[in-house]
Amino acid sequence: MTPLSAHYAIGIDTDATTLREADRLLQGLAAELGLPEDVFGCTHLVRDGRPRVALSLAAEAVAAEPVLRTARDRLTAQGYEVRDGAPDEAGRAVLYPGVSALTGTLTLAELLARSAIDRVTVLGTPDEPAPDARLVTREHVRPQWRNGHLVLAAMPAAGGTLVPFEDPDPTPCCADH
Amino acid sequence: MDWLVITDHGSVTHAKIGVEKVNPDIREARDAHEDTLVFQGLEWNIPAAEHGTVFVHPGRHEVSVLKQFETDYDGSVKGAGDSTPANEALAVAGLSFLADQVKRRKVKDALMLANHPARKGIDSPHEIRAWRDATSRGHQIAVGFEGAPGHQAAGLPKPLGMGRARGIYDGSPGANSFPGYPLESYRTWGGFDWMTATVGGLWDSLIAEGRPWWITANSDSHQVYADTAARGGGDFNANGRYDDPVYAGRIDVTQGDFWPGQYSRTHVGSDGFSYGAVMDGIRAGRIWVDHGQLISGLDVRVSGGGRWATLGGALHVRKGTRVTLSMDVALAGGPNWAGFTPKLARVDVIQGDVTGTVADKDTFTAPTARVVKSYEVNKDTGTVRLTYDLGRVDHPVYLRTRGTDGNRSAVGALGAKVDPAGPAIDVVGDADPWRDLWFYSNPVWILPS
């Protein structure tokens, strides 16, 4: 399960090997299935000898369960391998309540208020960040489930701001370096 | 530059064409520059892992050995990039092959040093141990990894530079990465790789096993920051190379590399000026590294019982012998390539217990390692002698040292009790490498019996 309070979750196996591919797949599926914004869509790293990225869809509200059951049927019909339950409890959230409101630069207080993110931690320092610390979202905010909480890891950035740890455009492996 | 290794990435084209094609140029460079030892090597795509520098002693078969190695063991050529047990085994087999070529005297020597090991989290601790243990202890082929990666100009802020991550460490966990690595490991700390920068971390966990594993610092110079030349065009796949560089008519601040030796240096205590002596020095671990020419010399001796050992070595003493570390640090004494004379602010001594071979090959912490002594230096010329008294040593330990310009310090990743003022995590897009200089030495063991 991803959120401990999730009422219903499904895990979807894929051939995606990168997060970028998996994100696109997830966002495409969400649009195609018309999923509401209170559904959590996560990526999960699968390391069972064939490294790849799997997906999960989960909903807290009972009302969303029928939507996910429909999604499950349609995904299965499209040839995806779908199971009950997320692959693990450490999903990286791509879709979550409030994600579309996390744009531009926000204070941490605003970020927490607008979205389902529970907490922000800053790498490289043991201190808790101040609520008025500014985070440059880069429109790419991917919190992670940790012990039932949705936590965003951030890094110090230029000008005393923070950025989410995950770079939206990382250097591709081995391309020119 | 007294010595350098010229490599290119493994690829089908490189294996077929490049490795042979570059050799005449390298030989010409050797003849033209008698005071520089020019090794030919390969930037190996280590199966199941990151890149690694493989290089051989020059000789009649240097090309054929490198070519066969790349053809049979390169991760890109063999499609063996994914983190699977089979691919991990191929990496080990490649190192065995190199050892075999040395044994059969096809080449006089060969070495492998893993590059930017924490960058993508795909060099697991057990793989690193497997590379170390792949060949005989008498003549280890894989002897270490980059303590600091190249691409040190990549963090220069825009518009001065490309405004990315120092070392181009901008990755995050993926399907091939080792699940145990924390997010912190994907970024540099004071320009150094997390595995090395973390006191009590992965490097310390290897040293604590009492087995050789050294650090280097390299330029990884492909395309140079502020170069006015640009890569020539041409068909790499057909020719095995690009055309010669051309004048670009502008200063290119979108590149992240320094020239070899311009910023990163790997100093080897070599018993003479020869290819073999440098390789012997590397294998012996007589190595220290620095950035920005922070210091100009380092002489580390650990003595006791009438004997002494230096970097990479082991001091054998009777139990209870009093042991002292003495280090002579020659300060910068002159400007670096950024045009200023760096000042050494502080030197730290790190000590840990030798705890022997780990049970869990994926161990990446060494709980007893910590900073035991710090010295305020604040000098930029002359020499200072720093000493540290270990007292009477009754169990196996090791020491290693590092120093800094003091501009950026933070509590280490494992807490203040371990490292109260270590390197700070680098700020992506705002990391001027000239304002955050460090040197690191390799370890010395003290083994009482």
Side-chain angles (χ1 to χ4, degrees), chain B residues 287-360:
Chain B
I287 304 171
W288 60 275
V289 303
D290 74 336
H291 281 164
Q293 296 92 58
L294 177 62
I295 59 176
S296 64
L298 186 65
D299 186 346
V300 172
R301 298 183 198 219
V302 179
S303 17
R307 306 173 177 163
W308 61 273
T310 188
L311 302 182
L315 179 70
H316 295 269
V317 290
R318 295 233 320 257
K319 216 170 179 170
T321 302
R322 191 160 192 173
V323 174
T324 321
L325 161 72
S326 170
M327 44 190 303
D328 287 350
V329 186
L331 285 316
N336 58 22
W337 290 107
F340 67 92
T341 303
K343 192 184 247 189
L344 180 67
R346 194 184 79 242
V347 172
D348 298 326
V349 177
I350 291 152
Q351 181 173 335
D353 291 344
V354 176
T355 43
T357 305
V358 292
D360 175 6

Side-chain angles (χ1 to χ4, degrees), chain B residues 15-365:
Chain B
K16 235 175 23 154
I17 307 172
V19 60
E20 280 167 351
K21 206 164 204 180
V22 74
N23 187 254
D25 291 341
I26 291 189
R27 287 176 182 271
E28 218 178 281
R30 287 173 185 157
D31 291 338
H33 302 279
E34 288 179 346
D35 293 333
T36 304
L37 301 170
V38 185
F39 292 87
Q40 179 170 351
L42 167 71
E43 187 162 13
W44 183 29
N45 292 298
I46 308 173
E50 266 280 15
H51 303 150
T53 295
V54 168
F55 62 106
V56 297
H57 189 291
R60 234 172 358 120
H61 300 293
E62 64 183 326
V63 170
S64 64
V65 168
L66 287 171
K67 185 177 171 115
Q68 191 180 348
F69 174 75
E70 185 177 352
T71 303
D72 294 345
Y73 302 101
D74 184 81
S76 171
V77 173
K78 302 290 290 182
D82 279 352
S83 296
T84 66
N87 291 341
E88 293 183 12
L90 187 64
V92 168
L95 293 168
S96 284
F97 166 82
L98 290 173
D100 209 43
Q101 303 313 297
V102 175
K103 201 159 137 208
R104 293 171 188 222
R105 300 179 200 221
K106 289 286 178 124
V107 282
K108 285 199 182 132
D109 205 354
L111 286 168
M112 196 286 273
L113 295 155
N115 297 339
H116 38 76
R119 184 175 71 157
K120 298 206 179 278
I122 60 179
D123 288 6
S124 62
H126 71 263
E127 284 170 272
I128 294 171
R129 290 187 165 89
W131 303 333
R132 178 195 63 189
D133 300 342
T135 56
S136 117
R137 288 192 193 211
H139 202 81
Q140 202 170 311
I141 299 294
V143 299
F145 53 27
E146 282 181 324
H151 311 305
Q152 289 280 333
L156 280 163
K158 290 185 176 163
L160 187 64
M162 68 193 290
R164 294 195 70 103
R166 191 171 181 184
I168 315 189
Y169 273 43
D170 57 16
S172 60
N176 285 305
S177 59
F178 176 67
Y181 287 144
L183 298 182
E184 285 82 357
S185 69
Y186 291 81
R187 301 284 177 271
T188 52
W189 293 67
F192 276 68
D193 184 283
W194 166 89
M195 294 184 180
T196 295
T198 306
V199 177
L202 193 145
W203 186 37
D204 279 309
S205 82
L206 295 172
I207 303 171
E209 290 191 82
R211 302 276 312 270
W213 195 256
W214 318 128
I215 58 160
T216 63
N218 311 302
S219 62
D220 209 336
S221 189
H222 291 263
Q223 305 203 85
V224 178
Y225 168 69
D227 203 350
T228 52
R231 172 187 279 170
D235 188 344
F236 183 88
N237 286 328
N239 302 326
R241 54 165 291 181
Y242 290 103
D243 295 344
D244 284 349
V246 295
Y247 175 57
R250 60 186 179 86
I251 298 170
D252 191 354
V253 297
T254 67
Q255 304 299 343
D257 306 341
F258 288 116
W259 296 108
Q262 180 184 4
Y263 179 80
S264 305
R265 301 189 303 180
T266 297
H267 307 262
V268 178
S270 173
D271 223 335
F273 185 76
S274 72
Y275 291 91
V278 170
M279 294 183 89
D280 287 342
I282 293 172
R283 180 170 287 102
R286 288 190 298 269
I287 304 171
W288 60 275
V289 303
D290 74 336
H291 281 164
Q293 296 92 58
L294 177 62
I295 59 176
S296 64
L298 186 65
D299 186 346
V300 172
R301 298 183 198 219
V302 179
S303 17
R307 306 173 177 163
W308 61 273
T310 188
L311 302 182
L315 179 70
H316 295 269
V317 290
R318 295 233 320 257
K319 216 170 179 170
T321 302
R322 191 160 192 173
V323 174
T324 321
L325 161 72
S326 170
M327 44 190 303
D328 287 350
V329 186
L331 285 316
N336 58 22
W337 290 107
F340 67 92
T341 303
K343 192 184 247 189
L344 180 67
R346 194 184 79 242
V347 172
D348 298 326
V349 177
I350 291 152
Q351 181 173 335
D353 291 344
V354 176
T355 43
T357 305
V358 292
D360 175 6
K361 299 275 185 217
D362 276 325
T363 301
F364 60 87
T365 55

Side-chain angles (χ1 to χ4, degrees), chain A residues 129-161:
Chain A
D132 62 354
R134 286 160 48 243
L135 182 121
V136 181
T137 66
R138 303 182 296 197
E139 288 74 48
H140 188 93
V141 184
R142 305 282 192 262
Q144 190 123 12
W145 284 105
R146 255 195 252 166
N147 301 319
H149 298 286
L150 198 55
V151 182
L152 178 68
M155 280 267 305
T161 60

Side-chain angles (χ1 to χ4, degrees), chain B residues 424-435:
Chain B
I425 200 169
D426 282 304
V427 177
V428 175
D430 192 10
D432 185 334
W434 297 104
R435 299 196 201 276

Side-chain angles (χ1 to χ4, degrees), chain A residues 5-123:
Chain A
S5 57
H7 189 73
Y8 182 55
I10 57 176
I12 309 156
D13 204 352
T14 79
D15 288 328
T17 53
T18 66
L19 294 180
R20 180 173 273 190
E21 275 177 74
D23 285 8
R24 280 207 211 110
L25 194 53
L26 192 48
Q27 286 159 335
L29 289 175
E32 201 186 298
L33 300 166
L35 297 177
E37 228 205 37
D38 59 350
V39 165
F40 291 82
C42 296
T43 62
H44 301 260
L45 303 174
V46 179
R47 298 161 167 128
D48 61 0
R50 189 170 59 94
R52 62 199 186 281
V53 186
L55 310 175
S56 70
L57 294 171
E60 281 178 331
V62 174
E65 188 180 325
V67 175
L68 285 187
R69 291 203 182 275
T70 309
R72 183 193 173 136
D73 294 338
R74 286 173 61 181
L75 288 166
T76 308
Q78 282 176 33
Y80 287 99
E81 196 188 302
V82 185
R83 289 180 204 192
D84 275 340
D88 60 51
E89 291 180 13
R92 165 184 162 274
V94 179
L95 309 168
Y96 50 94
V99 60
S100 49
L102 301 183
T103 60
T105 300
L106 305 168
T107 64
L108 296 188
E110 283 170 332
L111 178 133
L112 296 171
R114 289 186 192 190
S115 72
I117 297 173
D118 293 317
R119 227 183 117 210
V120 179
T121 60
V122 180
L123 300 183

